[in-house]
Amino acid sequence: MSIDLSQFKQTFLEESEEGLEVLESGLLALDSGTADDDVIHAVFRAAHSIKGGSGTFGLNEISDFTHIMETLLDEMRDGRREVSQKLINVLLGSVDVLRAMLDAARDESDIDVAQVEKAKAQLAAELNSDNSEAETVATQQEKKVVTEIDNDKIGWKIVFTPFEDMLKTGNDPLRMLTELSYLGKYEVVVDDSKLPEFYALDPECSYLSWSIYLYGEIEKEEIEEIFEWVDGECDLSIQKLSEVLPTDNADLHLKQANIHQQEQAASTTVSKVPEDNPVSITPTKRNKNKGTSDPVIANVQATVDKKTEKVKEQTKPVVNKRKSADSSSSIRVGTDKVDSLINMVGELVITQSMLSQLGEDFDETSLEKLRDGLAQLERNTRELQESVMRIRMLPISFAFQRFPRVVHDLSQKMGKKIELRLSGETTELDKTVLEKINDPLVHLIRNSLDHGIELPAERIRANKPEIGIIHLNAYHMGGNIVIKINDDGAGLNRDKLLQKAISKGLVDANDNLTDEAIYELIFHPGFSTAETLSDVSGRGVGMDVVRRNIRELGGNIDVKTEIGKGTEFTIRLPLTLAILDGQLIRLGKEIFIIPLVSIIESLPINLQYVNSIAGFSEVYQLRDEYIPLIRLSSILNIPSEFTRLDEGLLVVVEADGNKAGLFVDDLLSQQQVVIKSLESNYKRVEGISGATILGDGTVALILDVSGLVDLVRDKKQLSSVVGL
Amino acid sequence: MGKKILAVDDSASMRQMVNFTLRGAGFEVDEANDGNMALAAVQKKQYDLVLSDINMPGMDGIQLVTALRKLPNYKFVPILMLTTESGADKKTQGKAAGATGWIVKPFNPEQLLKTVKRVLG
């Protein structure tokens, strides 16, 4: 029988990923001395599970590797091994290697053998720093080799005397006797001398013992294996027949007579030996280990095989680095979420049957009922939608839990003392958003570490605590998720930023920029203030990439800073990428959608507040500030109903801290829309973030507000932008 | 009607693998994530065999065995521990608590079936 295990491999890999997180966070906790027994147990369990699973699913390299880790962790757990910084670092390093191995297993690509061997060597060095363990392993191996099997003897005498309470572990002597019968021809003699009188008999106790004569070329291990589980619960002697004294052997015949006499009396459960079973010793045809009866030779053979295999593996060309398509397409969902979904569907079915019943004999009097039914349907639909969305939601801790490691490694590397505080880890957000926000977050944290927090000496000079704090916080606000990265470092240097921007020609020296505008400069492509580029942050990809990634998710980022006090980045993200609260607007005969989150207000236009600026088209004076006025009809090349500004409406939107006014013909309703990608169905269009299908079946485009604002700010050729 | 087996392991992949293998061989298999869930499950159904991992968060395998052996209905029901070769002392502890035997991890479906059939016949 063979069972395809690959179907469980995916689950195993996902589970291992969680295991890796546990390993990593646990090791970090151990390092900082905040760990208790539970942590070390959890860490051990994680390594243990990965080892067990990988072995089961045929990932032997991983299993071997984890085995060494596990041995170390086991000793740490039992207090046999002191936890040192070096040991933790080696273990953390091996977690990385393990992660790479698991990734390779998922992608079905090749494992970096050199890296694995190196990590193995480091682990082994740690392991051997205390020799006792290694020695016992060695002696065990020796023992194995020494256990010799004499094959020219043809049978065994086994005396099996279960202790009275053996049954209490669920072990039935019958099982062992039955299994012995599979090994070869045998005879059994029961000894019922300990069987008490009936009234004294405890049915939960075992009183019988057996002498078993087993004939054939059978390895002792095979017999021992059968009794493996009852070691310590019985007296067991296994003797070669040739070494059994003739007197001992003779009892067989005596006892056999005995057995016939007492056959009825003895309540033995032993399966009867067939009558025609010869007592004489007959060699059986069993010839199991043909050619490799010498275990030492067999062993050597195996090692050689393994070695050649290894060489083969190493020389194997790297081909087929296939990324399995389903690598991240599965999701683990809590049962409560699935339950609520099932519940919703149940309610939907009830509503449906109610409505269809109503439809069968409908008259005017049922109108009220119909209305109720439709209202119920609407509620069901909304709840169902929410439940389905919740399935895709994961706590942000999935992203957060990687950061302690990043901070640990980097702060050690840079000689900084940093405490990472996490809060709001349970805040849930869409899986896709979560996956895509990880890199930007890592970048921001690296940034805070590298540019934000000062060296301990500097901090002391500045009258600050030696240990810097980076605080990562996530929470829900409105329909958004907000992530804040806060450090108590040096803050952004306004003058330095400005100088740099001027020297790079990004701004003009005469431009009168607000502080906010200057801080915004860090998001400008190609802007980096670190004097020298370190490998920690500022390697070409900068904050502009961070901002772009966040915008692609429909979110935005801004920065607040105070020199000497610290910097705070605030990221706002939509809860999900699939659904959007939208404001429908009309432009001529077309309907567009503006994301509700970016709308600040809508107002009729008062012409006296409209000013024309050369080269910047029009601006509108909104109370005490001027905002660019964007005529959507000219950007989108769509004839509008109104050209006079005071006939239409102005929708004031904000993106990345910049306001703009969109001139539209009319405001229509607000509704939730399902976002369909324009890119995958058509092509990417600047100023448009997607499309949706409205209730009446028509397609409406969703405006990309931050894109539109940028278009205007960048003074681009507006008319050529949209080529729909 | 196949014999009823309860598979207890905190690892979903392990449970799936055990479940799939044994189900394929005609056994009726239920799963439990940990000792506490297992104890709840055995109140509802009489199992013919309990397979349990040792290392589990919450109530571990050894505590589970101890608890099961106190239940009149599970006094003699075979309980197999899923363990690793490195856990020699765990085997002893498990045995002391009343476990019937063990299956050494890693095991393949064939080994699992063989061992289960050994106990259930």
Side-chain angles (χ1 to χ4, degrees), chain A residues 286-538:
Chain A
R286 293 173 56 91
N287 204 355
K288 229 179 143 194
N289 287 332
K290 211 178 185 177
T292 55
S293 55
D294 186 339
V296 181
I297 294 178
N299 248 341
V300 171
Q301 190 71 39
T303 349
V304 171
D305 281 351
K306 255 190 195 157
K307 273 197 180 144
T308 44
E309 234 167 69
K310 222 173 202 173
V311 171
K312 264 189 233 155
E313 268 166 35
Q314 275 169 346
T315 51
K316 195 171 69 183
V318 184
V319 281
N320 256 347
K321 196 167 174 154
R322 184 169 66 88
K323 188 99 184 165
S324 57
D326 54 1
S327 68
S328 63
S329 59
S330 81
I331 189 166
R332 293 181 65 161
V333 179
T335 15
D336 61 322
K337 291 183 178 176
V338 178
D339 286 348
S340 100
L341 196 58
I342 289 168
N343 195 15
M344 300 286 141
V345 173
E347 279 179 31
L348 191 65
V349 169
I350 294 170
T351 311
Q352 189 272 330
S353 68
M354 176 186 139
L355 283 172
S356 72
Q357 209 173 20
L358 205 61
E360 267 169 27
D361 46 0
F362 186 78
D363 56 47
E364 278 171 35
T365 55
S366 322
L367 203 60
E368 188 75 12
K369 272 190 189 163
L370 178 66
R371 211 173 280 141
D372 288 351
L374 288 173
Q376 199 172 321
L377 182 65
E378 191 201 329
R379 196 174 58 242
N380 291 155
T381 314
R382 194 178 56 242
E383 283 172 358
L384 192 59
Q385 188 189 41
E386 276 164 15
S387 293
V388 173
M389 305 276 289
R390 274 186 64 210
I391 286 189
R392 289 191 53 86
M393 304 294 259
L394 290 173
I396 201 165
S397 56
F398 277 90
F400 278 10
Q401 61 199 0
R402 290 182 197 281
F403 299 141
R405 176 70 190 280
V406 172
V407 172
H408 170 266
D409 286 7
L410 287 180
S411 52
Q412 263 189 5
K413 200 165 169 182
M414 294 189 296
K416 291 183 178 176
K417 290 191 177 168
I418 291 164
E419 182 190 336
L420 179 70
R421 286 187 190 160
L422 299 175
S423 50
E425 295 109 306
T426 53
T427 314
E428 288 194 328
L429 74 169
D430 188 273
K431 183 170 184 264
T432 319
V433 181
L434 187 67
E435 279 164 1
K436 292 194 176 152
I437 198 62
N438 199 45
D439 286 348
L441 283 180
V442 171
H443 191 92
L444 287 170
I445 286 182
R446 282 166 170 266
N447 232 338
S448 291
L449 254 151
D450 197 12
H451 305 315
I453 306 275
E454 314 89 329
L455 286 165
E458 268 175 62
R459 289 183 65 88
I460 290 167
R461 264 204 303 281
N463 252 340
K464 284 180 172 181
E466 190 186 16
I467 297 171
I469 291 169
I470 297 179
H471 188 184
L472 206 55
N473 187 17
Y475 54 91
H476 284 288
M477 202 173 74
N480 283 312
I481 180 158
V482 180
I483 306 169
K484 283 189 188 233
I485 299 122
N486 196 312
D487 70 59
D488 67 346
L492 293 175
N493 189 326
R494 182 189 181 279
D495 299 335
K496 228 169 166 181
L497 284 173
L498 192 57
Q499 261 175 11
K500 177 98 173 238
I502 294 169
S503 74
K504 290 211 165 190
L506 297 175
V507 292
D508 196 275
N510 299 323
D511 280 355
N512 201 0
L513 292 172
T514 61
D515 286 358
E516 281 73 32
I518 293 168
Y519 299 139
E520 277 285 304
L521 286 169
I522 60 167
F523 296 112
H524 205 281
F527 191 91
S528 179
T529 49
E531 274 86 32
T532 52
L533 289 181
S534 65
D535 66 342
V536 176
S537 61

Side-chain angles (χ1 to χ4, degrees), chain A residues 13 17 20 62 96-111 321-324 327:
Chain A
L13 289 170
E17 227 152 86
L20 286 174
I62 298 177
D96 294 339
V97 174
L98 191 56
R99 183 173 281 135
M101 288 168 99
L102 285 162
D103 285 348
R106 180 175 47 233
D107 304 344
E108 291 175 25
S109 59
D110 291 331
I111 288 172
K321 196 167 174 154
R322 184 169 66 88
K323 188 99 184 165
S324 57
S327 68

Side-chain angles (χ1 to χ4, degrees), chain A residues 442-687:
Chain A
V442 171
H443 191 92
L444 287 170
I445 286 182
R446 282 166 170 266
N447 232 338
S448 291
L449 254 151
D450 197 12
H451 305 315
I453 306 275
E454 314 89 329
L455 286 165
E458 268 175 62
R459 289 183 65 88
I460 290 167
R461 264 204 303 281
N463 252 340
K464 284 180 172 181
E466 190 186 16
I467 297 171
I469 291 169
I470 297 179
H471 188 184
L472 206 55
N473 187 17
Y475 54 91
H476 284 288
M477 202 173 74
N480 283 312
I481 180 158
V482 180
I483 306 169
K484 283 189 188 233
I485 299 122
N486 196 312
D487 70 59
D488 67 346
L492 293 175
N493 189 326
R494 182 189 181 279
D495 299 335
K496 228 169 166 181
L497 284 173
L498 192 57
Q499 261 175 11
K500 177 98 173 238
I502 294 169
S503 74
K504 290 211 165 190
L506 297 175
V507 292
D508 196 275
N510 299 323
D511 280 355
N512 201 0
L513 292 172
T514 61
D515 286 358
E516 281 73 32
I518 293 168
Y519 299 139
E520 277 285 304
L521 286 169
I522 60 167
F523 296 112
H524 205 281
F527 191 91
S528 179
T529 49
E531 274 86 32
T532 52
L533 289 181
S534 65
D535 66 342
V536 176
S537 61
R539 53 177 111 183
V541 293
M543 298 296 282
D544 59 317
V545 179
V546 170
R547 170 170 275 189
R548 198 169 63 232
N549 287 345
I550 290 169
R551 277 191 189 167
E552 272 167 17
L553 293 171
N556 59 47
I557 177 169
D558 55 52
V559 59
K560 263 190 233 150
T561 183
E562 197 173 336
I563 196 144
K565 292 263 174 70
T567 311
E568 179 177 88
F569 288 96
T570 308
I571 300 173
R572 281 189 189 79
L573 290 167
L575 277 180
T576 171
L577 296 180
I579 289 190
L580 173 111
D581 278 314
Q583 167 70 56
L584 274 58
I585 56 136
R586 188 173 59 82
L587 201 64
K589 286 177 182 150
E590 297 291 329
I591 290 173
F592 290 92
I593 291 154
I594 301 174
L596 212 52
V597 281
S598 44
I599 297 180
I600 298 173
E601 59 186 312
S602 305
L603 60 156
I605 296 173
N606 189 337
L607 282 178
Q608 74 181 58
Y609 293 129
V610 178
N611 294 300
S612 282
I613 294 177
F616 204 77
S617 67
E618 294 152 308
V619 293
Y620 188 79
Q621 187 187 352
L622 181 69
R623 287 177 282 275
D624 54 354
E625 61 182 325
Y626 288 92
I627 59 170
L629 197 154
I630 304 170
R631 284 176 185 258
L632 280 178
S633 62
S634 64
I635 291 189
L636 301 169
N637 246 335
I638 285 169
S640 59
E641 187 185 347
F642 308 116
T643 43
R644 276 176 56 94
L645 287 170
D646 56 351
E647 288 172 322
L649 287 169
L650 189 71
V651 180
V652 181
V653 293
E654 182 177 351
D656 312 321
N658 299 309
K659 283 183 188 151
L662 304 177
F663 176 57
V664 304
D665 283 347
D666 201 2
L667 287 182
L668 305 174
S669 62
Q670 293 178 358
Q671 68 177 70
Q672 279 202 332
V673 295
V674 179
I675 304 171
K676 309 274 182 193
S677 163
L678 199 58
E679 219 164 324
S680 58
N681 295 312
Y682 174 60
K683 65 175 185 186
R684 192 176 150 67
V685 178
E686 262 189 276

